[in-house]
Amino acid sequence: MTAKPTEVSDFIGELNAGVFEKQLGAILTDVAAGVIANGKQGEVTIKLKIKQISDTSQVNISHSLDYKTPTSKGHRAELVEGATPMHVLHGGGISIMPNTAKAHDYID
């Protein structure tokens, strides 16, 4: 039996009920615009920390977006943080929804 890997686009969309994905989009736009406007390098760092919730098959995903947008005289920086509880499915996949799949769903 082979587990299906976590669907990354779904995972990102589920963090903080979709807020993380919207923040990431806005941050990427802001940093890219600053890079073009000022001819300097920008930076976006995504950090994920995963910690088990008690003795369950759930984990708490701490997520942060740390970014620097170049300006004409330096840069503007911000750190955005949040956390989302999620379920670990058979084989390690991560989803906001608990596992309801049958064993045959994991076979390639």
Side-chain angles (χ1 to χ4, degrees):
M1 212 179 334
T2 304
K4 288 185 178 180
T6 299
E7 292 290 337
V8 176
S9 59
D10 291 345
F11 173 80
I12 295 295
E14 291 172 343
L15 291 175
N16 205 17
V19 174
F20 180 87
E21 184 176 34
K22 289 181 188 263
Q23 290 171 326
L24 178 58
I27 288 167
L28 290 170
T29 299
D30 183 55
V31 173
V35 167
I36 296 302
N38 297 291
K40 299 176 188 172
Q41 181 174 306
E43 183 176 315
V44 178
T45 303
I46 299 170
K47 184 182 283 188
L48 303 171
K49 293 183 180 181
I50 303 172
K51 183 177 181 180
Q52 185 176 15
I53 299 173
S54 299
D55 260 352
T56 68
S57 61
Q58 285 187 282
V59 292
N60 192 54
I61 311 286
S62 297
H63 38 83
S64 65
L65 293 167
D66 189 8
Y67 66 99
K68 292 181 183 176
T69 301
T71 63
S72 60
K73 296 182 180 182
H75 67 269
R76 181 177 68 253
E78 188 171 354
L79 172 64
V80 180
E81 298 177 304
T84 306
M86 298 186 99
H87 296 270
V88 178
L89 309 176
H90 294 296
I94 304 169
S95 174
I96 198 77
M97 299 301 295
N99 186 23
T100 57
K102 307 287 185 245
H104 68 271
D105 292 339
Y106 295 98
I107 301 173
D108 288 332

